[in-house]
Amino acid sequence: MSGPATFDGAGRHGRTRRRAGDERGAELSYAGPDGPVADRERPKGDPARPVTISYIAETAGVSIPTVSKVVNGRSGVSADTRARVEALIHEYGYRKSNRRNLLELVFGELEDLWGIEIIRGVERVARDHRVGVVLTEFGPRRDTGDHPIDDTLARRPACVVTVAQLSEEQRDRLRANDIPFVVFDPTTELPDGVPFVGATNWAGGRSATRHLIGLGHRRIAMISGPDGVLCCRARLDGYRSALEAAGLAMDPGLVVRADLTRQDGRTAALALLDRADPPTAVFACNDLQALGVYEAARELGLRIPADLSVVGFDDLPVAALVDPPLTTVHQPLAEMAAAATELALALGRGEPTPQVGLELATTLTVRQSTARPADHRPERGDAPPVGGAAGRRSEEGLSP
């Protein structure tokens, strides 16, 4: 992708809800009578250092959020602190200038249907709020040493929804420029207070495994994702928990880690199905891996679900189109993206939010890729089938 793509969420005539002079989401910029701050000596501090909201915070001896509250006229700041910050703003000759009526959606790489579902959710909410959307793909770091975060800062969006996992330095730079952001589906542990929207991955992994156990499967393999990815670890933990609850020992040989691609899912499935005691069911960490399991089964002459049951995770549109349609854990990607957008826009307007971390419920979507194992006969004490009828079943509600 070359450069950012822009979606006009303001409607056909480009009207927005923001009035001229509206100070919501404003940022500090120097506009003194003697020109830009770099062209003259500051009253205080290092003249070579650019003036930002973080400089005001450091000079005043307060936090960046405190200065942001003063700039945007919000409560929660003592009278003495407010006066001190306002005096510095006046001393440096600052004025408020409205940030552009844009939300920036940032991907590391945009290369599959998973990302399309996220774009759909973001654009829907942005359109309702008459906010434009800039779509950015960070990709690998440029040879010049520049980074796309520099372009984001130059565009001055009202807020950012980031699917790309930002570094601590990048998050600090957004904060220093008073640009609020929300992390979509974080892959690593975030510091306290970083806004995010995710899904109940552990519950999803548990529901997928419980479904297979309920059908009578006892040799259930899992193709997990990279160990460092938070959602993959949570899904694996859910798989392990369901086995333990059913009194089944987890066989380490039935757990394979692979990248979240169809090709890697195929390779992992071939290794699992080549065992002397192959699994009768496979739970894949995402739908793309599950499609790879389908390929491996076809190569080996196995029928799904007669010889092998398969469960995926995500419920991408393609899951309902393959033959047989894939049983999978529905991750509400569009709804997650919409929630992240609402949260980011609220933060951009300086509004208080009841919570900065959300996890939306996953649900099990049962289709035709799962059935009882071919050699299974109901015995006393067998668990009853779980989710045997097609449809979705919620495992968890909305949780903070």
Side-chain angles (χ1 to χ4, degrees):
M1 183 176 295
S2 59
T6 302
F7 299 91
D8 183 6
R12 183 172 55 185
H13 302 293
R15 291 191 298 265
T16 69
R17 293 180 178 178
R18 182 168 294 175
R19 302 183 305 273
D22 190 347
E23 293 177 355
R24 291 177 301 176
E27 69 176 10
L28 290 172
S29 62
Y30 183 73
D34 298 320
V37 71
D39 296 338
R40 72 175 183 91
E41 185 177 353
R42 271 201 209 92
K44 299 181 185 178
D46 179 4
R49 179 178 176 181
V51 175
T52 63
I53 195 170
S54 61
Y55 180 82
I56 293 292
E58 180 181 338
T59 305
V62 298
S63 67
I64 291 173
T66 297
V67 177
S68 179
K69 289 178 181 179
V70 174
V71 170
N72 292 292
R74 302 200 301 270
S75 60
V77 181
S78 69
D80 289 345
T81 300
R82 186 180 299 276
R84 186 163 72 254
V85 172
E86 288 177 343
L88 285 170
I89 291 172
H90 178 74
E91 181 178 356
Y92 289 144
Y94 284 99
R95 70 184 180 192
K96 297 175 185 177
S97 61
N98 287 331
R99 191 178 291 131
R100 299 179 68 189
N101 195 32
L102 292 176
L103 176 145
E104 187 146 345
L105 173 60
V106 177
F107 285 90
E109 292 181 275
L110 180 58
E111 55 186 15
D112 55 46
L113 293 175
W114 189 82
I116 300 301
E117 291 297 296
I118 297 169
I119 294 172
R120 286 180 53 243
V122 171
E123 200 278 332
R124 185 178 70 217
V125 173
R127 183 172 60 246
D128 290 343
H129 287 270
R130 305 198 176 204
V131 173
V133 177
V134 174
L135 176 60
T136 302
E137 185 179 29
F138 273 11
R141 189 175 292 271
R142 301 169 181 170
D143 294 337
T144 61
D146 295 333
H147 194 279
I149 192 70
D150 298 323
D151 298 332
T152 299
L153 297 176
R155 276 187 290 273
R156 297 179 299 166
C159 55
V160 170
V161 173
T162 176
V163 182
Q165 305 302 308
L166 302 181
S167 67
E168 182 179 358
E169 184 264 341
Q170 290 167 344
R171 295 195 299 266
D172 286 343
R173 292 184 66 187
L174 287 173
R175 291 191 192 97
N177 285 271
D178 199 25
I179 300 176
F181 61 90
V182 175
V183 179
F184 181 93
D185 194 22
T187 61
T188 59
E189 293 286 353
L190 295 172
D192 292 342
V194 174
F196 74 91
V197 172
T200 55
N201 290 290
W202 180 88
R206 181 184 62 176
S207 67
T209 311
R210 288 178 61 190
H211 169 65
L212 294 169
I213 293 170
L215 290 172
H217 293 276
R218 296 298 178 263
R219 292 192 57 73
I220 303 169
M222 180 173 182
I223 303 176
S224 184
D227 190 47
V229 178
L230 193 62
C231 65
C232 297
R233 296 206 310 266
R235 294 169 194 177
L236 177 59
D237 287 343
Y239 160 85
R240 182 184 296 112
S241 176
L243 292 177
E244 292 175 353
L248 300 175
M250 190 184 83
D251 182 351
L254 291 180
V255 177
V256 178
R257 288 181 172 82
D259 286 339
L260 300 171
T261 67
R262 182 171 62 180
Q263 181 58 42
D264 284 279
R266 171 186 168 276
T267 301
L270 287 173
L272 287 167
L273 297 172
D274 190 47
R275 292 171 56 97
D277 49 352
T280 61
V282 176
F283 168 38
C285 203
N286 75 347
D287 287 348
L288 295 179
Q289 286 183 343
L291 296 181
V293 178
Y294 273 48
E295 290 184 9
R298 282 196 296 268
E299 290 177 30
L300 298 174
L302 298 176
R303 299 165 298 164
I304 297 173
D307 302 316
L308 180 70
S309 286
V310 182
V311 179
F313 203 112
D314 281 339
D315 199 14
L316 298 176
V318 69
L321 302 177
V322 295
D323 184 23
L326 176 66
T327 294
T328 185
V329 177
H330 177 75
Q331 182 174 210
L333 293 171
E335 291 80 3
M336 290 162 61
T341 305
E342 292 282 10
L343 178 57
L345 290 172
L347 294 172
R349 293 190 297 265
E351 297 175 358
T353 55
Q355 55 191 30
V356 293
L358 290 173
E359 287 187 342
L360 271 62
T362 53
T363 52
L364 181 65
T365 303
V366 181
R367 296 192 179 100
Q368 284 74 55
S369 67
T370 52
R372 287 182 175 274
D375 60 351
H376 181 74
R377 296 294 181 270
E379 297 175 358
R380 185 183 302 274
D382 275 351
V386 178
R392 289 181 185 164
R393 183 170 57 85
S394 176
E395 279 292 310
E396 297 286 344
L398 185 68
S399 62

